[in-house]
Amino acid sequence: MKYFYLTFFVFVFTFGYSQKKVLQTKFTTDNITIDGKLDESVWKSTSEASDFIMFQPDNGRPIPENKKTIVKVVYDNDAIYVAALLYDDEPDQIRKEISQRDSFGIADAFGVFINGFNDGQQDFQFFVNAADGQADCIMTDTNGEDYFWDAIWKSKAIITDFGWVVEMRIPYAALRFSAEKKQTWGLNFFREIKRDRQKYTWNFIDSKLGTFTQQTGILEGIENIKPPTRLFLMPYSSFYVNANGHQKTVGTLKGGLDIKYGINDAFTLDAILIPDFGQTKYDDQILNLGPFEQQFNENRPFFTEGTDLFSKGDLVYSRRIGGRPVNYPTAAANETIIDNPSSVDLINALKVSGRTKDGLGVGILNAVTKKTFATIKNKDTQETRREQVEPLSNYNVMVLDQRFRTNSAISFINTNVTRNGSFRDANVSALVWDLNTIKNTYNLSGNFKYSYVNDIMDKKGISSSLNIGETSGQYRYSMGTDLVTKDFDNNDLGINFQTNYYSFYGNASYRILNPTKLFNTFRINSNVYTQFQKETGKIQENNFNASLNIDTKKNHFVGFGINISPFESYDFYEARADNRYVILPERYNAWLYISTNYNNKFAFDFNPSYSIFNETERRSYDFSLSPRYRFNDKFSLDYRFQFSRRNNNRGYVDSVDEDLNKSTPETIIFANRNVITYSNSLSGKYSISSKMNFNVAVRQYWSYAENKNFLYLNKDGRLGDYENYTTNKDSSFYSWNFDLSYSWWFAPGSQVSVLYRNNAANFDNDINKDFRDNVTNLLNNEALNHTFSISVRYFIDYNSLKSKI
């Protein structure tokens, strides 16, 4: 009998909350003003959504009465309207830090999640915080939240004596839905109480399940609406002033146009004509001593917004478009290269993306870049010539993504780079699958990729992976395998470092789903990974790691873990030569991470780590310290200091053609070196309002590698002393970046931005350890590059323009 009652209780608790709530909306003819007052008569007679349930940290707990939340929805022929009453018995304690768009800051927040097709696959999420700021994103279970997506909508938040109120108008042009007469939408509401670090939803989100978007409620009652013409024009004009110690001050005026057009109810065309990315964030360059290029973040808005489909299969590294030229210029002994462009100009780009009501997602991205030349000067005659380093090039991505059973998908992706003339062309195709059981308890995922490169010698290769795992409950696990052939190459439009291997990996984890007396969250995680070189079977990588992550009752986060590589491994890349490898020793690493509660005015992050190698006096230690202080709701500063030291690090420095009585005339030189890195970063913001912000970002970076002695690489992968090498291969890289910006959203979707930027960088083989000298050598007009720019972008909505005319 006890078993029956227990089973009954579990059934009611588990499945009672999992039932989808339904909210009825109604049509209104009222002229609703978005002012947060809710004084229109329609709000008094509309159905309510209430009884919110905690999502984090105590999943499943009802919201307390003194924090009750009531939400209402109505609609007209152009938009839906949302009114939210967010009760709080301590309204003076509501967090309301002012921040720029898509940045929540330390502020309470309210959100509306809408799925116009009610297919459990993709939510359009709209947030308003207590400081009257906006954020919006597209949410999928596969890729999470994409805040680069921006829509045009209205909102108002006001603090009251009982809590705070939000009023929103979301036009249909910001949503996607079918043309059916009677609409049924997926819907959820969200509330975050920042001071308690608590998150609530209207329809219960069960954290035991491995999905978020499939646990929404239902919105019913919308009828006889039509998807509007979605045509948006965004003309812009920018003026740049550039100056440095080597050239006169130069002013440049630019202008262009961005277009967004809704082809139908599901598909959208985005196009940029005469692109301008001059105000994008600077890259954090480093001293790169390894065999692989440094990978940079994408900061250009066109290539970050709405890229969910194009991220399928991990085949697209959009920095390739407009990146470094494909060829390096050749110069004779009596010539010197006086101008070699570091990037290629983009002529235009467009993308088409969307999803049918049957779940078929289609994405097409196309970009064209200019023919690019380097300039070479003859030292004897002083004449110059031009050499083509990049032809007119076309970059194309196509994605077909079929979703089914609300939680699974199979995708086909093709990327293609076609360069004019005899330059290298490339094509990569992939089949990707992500399959989940009906209850989202198990997942089977994987991919098969095929690459073809048309160059001096054609290359064909494959890459494939398979992974299976349990994705729900307290105990979760996964295991998988990868196979990559030697000639797989997706680097013309993607990025890939390692090939010619197969690997096996596994993961196991435990977590609490509800808080205990000591912890809000508690998670133990372990991973094992082993990689083998495909042709020889030698171990290329081996790693076991375990970690513990805790969120305390005072909302401080603590994590620590270990990483162990218990066997020697064979590195086939560091030697920079085919079929050569260097043996890496066993390695043992431990780390700690502490992050105090950001709700406090003062908070900090601290992250030390220490590594021991099974090699004489080879050690590494790193730490970062990041204090932050919030002076008030408008002004805050974050500082970050990073330091690392790698004692007796061993790495490649050169190759020389000497016999040394070895079987090959090429001698590969390594150095035993100390590598020391310092980095200081400061970011700050002053927000006059949620629509007007000042931001500052500063980064100083210095890293140097000091060689102690040289070694040569034996055929067996071991290193031996080499005393005949005297070339100075020390490295010192210093860089400085400073950005001061002002942004004003003077109308919906329309922005004025002003930026002052200076930067400098220097690489040298002579190491000067005087920090003050390094700073002085860069922070002067001879070394600094100065840029001042003003950009104005104006948003034109065809529907608004049509109604005014």
Side-chain angles (χ1 to χ4, degrees):
M1 194 66 175
K2 291 181 179 179
Y3 176 80
F4 171 80
Y5 285 126
L6 178 62
T7 303
F8 178 78
F9 173 79
V10 171
F11 178 86
V12 171
F13 182 82
T14 302
F15 294 94
Y17 274 146
S18 65
Q19 299 300 313
K20 288 183 177 291
K21 293 181 177 178
V22 178
L23 177 65
Q24 292 290 332
T25 185
K26 62 186 295 185
F27 183 82
T28 181
T29 57
D30 287 2
N31 184 17
I32 298 178
T33 302
I34 306 302
D35 54 11
K37 297 179 180 179
L38 309 184
D39 50 7
E40 291 84 6
S41 60
V42 68
W43 293 125
K44 299 177 182 178
S45 58
T46 304
S47 299
E48 299 178 350
S50 59
D51 300 326
F52 279 50
I53 303 164
M54 189 180 293
F55 172 52
Q56 291 176 344
D58 197 356
N59 190 236
R61 173 180 290 184
I63 195 169
E65 182 64 22
N66 59 3
K67 300 293 191 303
K68 70 178 180 180
T69 306
I70 297 173
V71 187
K72 301 179 179 182
V73 177
V74 297
Y75 74 99
D76 61 18
N77 289 324
D78 301 309
I80 67 165
Y81 300 82
V82 180
L85 304 173
L86 302 109
Y87 289 83
D88 194 314
D89 59 338
E90 297 178 293
D92 59 326
Q93 295 298 311
I94 294 173
R95 299 293 189 263
K96 49 184 183 300
E97 182 186 13
I98 304 172
S99 56
Q100 62 187 9
R101 184 186 176 96
D102 289 335
S103 176
F104 290 92
I106 306 301
D108 284 26
F110 170 77
V112 179
F113 306 161
I114 298 173
N115 183 330
F117 293 98
N118 192 30
D119 59 3
Q121 296 291 332
Q122 178 175 267
D123 286 347
F124 289 78
Q125 300 187 349
F126 305 86
F127 299 90
V128 181
N129 67 26
D132 198 29
Q134 286 187 351
D136 46 23
C137 69
I138 294 176
M139 166 71 181
T140 63
D141 284 336
T142 302
N143 296 310
E145 298 166 321
D146 175 14
Y147 283 98
F148 291 108
W149 176 80
D150 286 320
I152 307 302
W153 49 286
K154 294 182 179 180
S155 63
K156 184 63 181 178
I158 58 174
I159 305 295
T160 68
D161 57 356
F162 64 81
W164 60 297
V165 176
V166 174
E167 192 169 19
M168 306 165 68
R169 179 187 186 272
I170 304 173
Y172 297 138
L175 303 171
R176 305 292 181 271
F177 53 90
S178 70
E180 295 180 2
K181 179 179 178 180
K182 187 174 182 180
Q183 301 280 328
T184 300
W185 291 0
L187 177 72
N188 215 341
F189 302 113
F190 169 89
R191 179 182 182 182
E192 180 175 15
I193 302 174
K194 198 69 176 183
R195 68 180 181 275
D196 298 327
R197 302 287 285 268
Q198 294 177 347
K199 299 177 180 179
Y200 296 87
T201 58
W202 170 58
N203 201 79
F204 177 48
I205 305 294
D206 189 344
S207 61
K208 293 192 296 294
L209 303 179
T211 178
F212 188 94
T213 60
Q214 296 165 45
Q215 300 189 68
T216 60
I218 301 295
L219 178 67
E220 294 182 344
I222 297 180
E223 297 181 357
N224 300 317
I225 64 171
K226 294 181 180 180
T229 300
R230 291 184 288 114
L231 175 59
F232 311 118
L233 305 177
M234 283 153 284
Y236 75 85
S237 180
S238 301
F239 180 70
Y240 293 86
V241 177
N242 296 285
N244 59 45
H246 307 288
Q247 69 176 33
K248 295 181 179 180
T249 301
V250 177
T252 305
L253 181 64
K254 295 183 179 181
L257 178 69
D258 294 356
I259 300 172
K260 292 181 182 289
Y261 175 63
I263 299 171
N264 55 27
D265 59 346
F267 290 91
T268 302
L269 166 69
D270 292 86
I272 50 175
L273 308 176
I274 317 176
D276 176 23
F277 301 122
Q279 291 192 339
T280 55
K281 183 183 180 298
Y282 57 78
D283 291 322
D284 292 338
Q285 291 184 311
I286 64 171
L287 174 63
N288 185 6
L289 300 172
F292 308 120
E293 64 180 297
Q294 182 182 353
Q295 183 173 357
F296 295 108
N297 294 327
E298 178 59 86
N299 298 314
R300 298 170 295 180
F302 177 84
F303 295 105
T304 58
E305 180 182 332
T307 57
D308 168 47
L309 281 171
F310 302 109
S311 65
K312 299 287 183 181
D314 197 25
L315 287 181
V316 178
Y317 176 47
S318 57
R319 289 295 296 263
R320 297 289 188 215
I321 304 172
R324 188 173 295 277
V326 68
N327 280 1
Y328 191 83
T330 56
N334 65 337
E335 291 181 320
T336 182
I337 301 169
I338 61 174
D339 181 29
N340 184 29
S342 60
S343 62
V344 177
D345 289 339
L346 183 64
I347 298 175
N348 56 53
L350 65 84
K351 57 188 175 186
V352 176
S353 60
R355 190 173 297 276
T356 70
K357 64 179 181 180
D358 296 322
L360 176 62
V362 179
I364 297 173
L365 185 151
N366 196 86
V368 181
T369 58
K370 286 183 179 180
K371 184 187 297 186
T372 305
F373 294 87
T375 305
I376 303 168
K377 183 177 182 180
N378 188 298
K379 299 177 184 177
D380 301 327
T381 65
Q382 303 302 308
E383 294 179 348
T384 60
R385 65 179 178 88
R386 296 204 309 164
E387 180 177 323
Q388 184 173 306
V389 290
E390 178 79 25
L392 182 71
S393 302
N394 188 84
Y395 296 81
N396 185 267
V397 183
M398 183 188 72
V399 182
L400 300 175
D401 177 56
Q402 179 62 60
R403 293 175 177 169
F404 56 94
R405 212 175 55 200
T406 73
N407 65 353
S408 299
I410 295 178
S411 309
F412 173 79
I413 307 101
N414 177 264
T415 67
N416 181 275
V417 179
T418 302
R419 298 182 174 94
N420 193 33
S422 59
F423 285 76
R424 163 185 171 127
D425 298 330
N427 189 281
V428 182
S429 296
L431 184 67
V432 179
W433 56 91
D434 181 19
L435 310 176
N436 295 277
T437 57
I438 295 176
K439 295 183 178 181
N440 287 294
T441 51
Y442 295 95
N443 171 269
L444 176 67
S445 59
N447 60 69
F448 180 85
K449 305 173 185 177
Y450 173 79
S451 69
Y452 172 70
V453 176
N454 180 10
D455 204 353
I456 298 174
M457 294 185 62
D458 292 353
K459 288 199 307 181
K460 302 175 183 179
I462 63 171
S463 171
S464 185
S465 69
L466 184 66
N467 181 82
I468 187 172
E470 183 176 3
T471 56
S472 65
Q474 288 182 298
Y475 296 92
R476 304 184 188 188
Y477 70 87
S478 65
M479 62 187 72
T481 182
D482 297 327
L483 171 66
V484 183
T485 63
K486 184 176 182 179
D487 288 333
F488 177 76
D489 188 352
N490 68 330
N491 284 298
D492 289 78
L493 191 45
I495 188 166
N496 182 57
F497 297 138
Q498 295 184 328
T499 61
N500 200 30
Y501 70 86
Y502 58 92
S503 65
F504 303 96
Y505 52 88
N507 166 273
S509 64
Y510 167 80
R511 72 205 66 198
I512 61 172
L513 301 177
N514 296 92
T516 66
K517 293 181 179 180
L518 299 176
F519 309 116
N520 280 336
T521 64
F522 179 93
R523 177 174 176 176
I524 299 174
N525 191 73
S526 63
N527 298 277
V528 60
Y529 180 82
T530 306
Q531 184 185 111
F532 301 89
Q533 207 263 357
K534 192 172 74 68
E535 295 172 352
T536 64
K538 294 182 182 296
I539 296 177
Q540 287 193 156
E541 293 185 30
N542 65 102
N543 178 265
F544 169 79
N545 66 72
S547 62
L548 173 63
N549 295 287
I550 299 166
D551 193 2
T552 70
K553 300 299 286 187
K554 292 187 177 181
N555 294 310
H556 302 307
F557 180 84
V558 179
F560 57 89
I562 58 171
N563 295 278
I564 300 173
S565 297
F567 309 109
E568 288 185 331
S569 55
Y570 296 75
D571 186 339
F572 282 80
Y573 303 95
E574 182 64 26
R576 275 80 153 176
D578 290 340
N579 303 316
R580 297 295 299 274
Y581 57 83
V582 60
I583 297 176
L584 303 181
E586 302 90 331
R587 180 176 65 91
Y588 309 90
N589 166 269
W591 58 270
L592 171 69
Y593 180 72
I594 298 173
S595 180
T596 62
N597 190 348
Y598 286 3
N599 280 334
N600 301 328
K601 281 184 173 292
F602 175 77
F604 68 88
D605 299 332
F606 180 57
N607 181 205
S609 68
Y610 183 70
S611 298
I612 300 174
F613 297 80
N614 187 19
E615 215 164 59
T616 304
E617 296 184 352
R618 185 169 180 179
R619 304 286 187 271
S620 295
Y621 48 93
D622 307 73
F623 80 87
S624 65
L625 178 64
S626 306
R628 58 178 61 212
Y629 191 78
R630 190 174 69 257
F631 296 86
N632 51 47
D633 285 337
K634 293 184 176 182
F635 180 44
S636 65
L637 289 174
D638 298 346
Y639 169 72
R640 181 179 179 85
F641 173 72
Q642 294 176 282
F643 173 79
S644 72
R645 183 181 181 96
R646 286 157 172 72
N647 290 336
N648 296 298
N649 171 269
R650 296 184 173 187
Y652 170 91
V653 292
D654 202 0
S655 297
V656 295
D657 290 329
E658 294 183 13
D659 191 350
L660 288 180
N661 298 317
K662 303 299 178 182
S663 59
T664 174
E666 181 178 324
T667 300
I668 299 173
I669 308 299
F670 276 59
N672 183 36
R673 61 201 179 190
N674 291 339
V675 183
I676 294 91
T677 303
Y678 304 86
S679 176
N680 292 277
S681 301
L682 177 70
S683 62
K685 65 93 180 173
Y686 182 81
S687 299
I688 300 174
S689 69
S690 60
K691 297 179 177 62
M692 191 178 295
N693 303 271
F694 289 90
N695 290 278
V696 64
V698 183
R699 178 179 182 262
Q700 171 271 327
Y701 174 90
W702 179 32
S703 183
Y704 64 88
E706 187 173 23
N707 299 320
K708 301 167 67 176
N709 59 283
F710 295 103
L711 311 160
Y712 71 90
L713 180 64
N714 279 301
K715 282 288 188 177
D716 63 359
R718 304 290 178 180
L719 296 171
D721 290 333
Y722 185 60
E723 299 179 354
N724 297 332
Y725 191 81
T726 58
T727 305
N728 180 10
K729 286 293 183 177
D730 290 347
S731 303
S732 178
F733 177 69
Y734 193 98
S735 69
W736 166 269
N737 296 91
F738 175 85
D739 277 12
L740 176 63
S741 63
Y742 164 78
S743 176
W744 174 33
W745 294 89
F746 62 90
S750 303
Q751 181 186 27
V752 173
S753 55
V754 181
L755 171 69
Y756 168 70
R757 166 177 293 167
N758 65 51
N759 63 79
N762 180 63
F763 176 85
D764 205 329
N765 291 122
D766 295 319
I767 300 174
N768 180 358
K769 296 184 180 180
D770 190 313
F771 183 83
R772 178 179 294 180
D773 283 353
N774 284 317
V775 173
T776 303
N777 290 338
L778 282 189
L779 298 187
N780 61 74
N781 285 330
E782 290 298 316
L784 285 170
N785 300 298
H786 302 270
T787 300
F788 178 79
S789 62
I790 300 175
S791 180
V792 180
R793 294 178 180 271
Y794 191 75
F795 177 83
I796 301 173
D797 182 354
Y798 165 80
N799 295 300
S800 298
L801 186 63
K802 180 181 177 181
S803 63
K804 290 178 181 179
I805 295 175

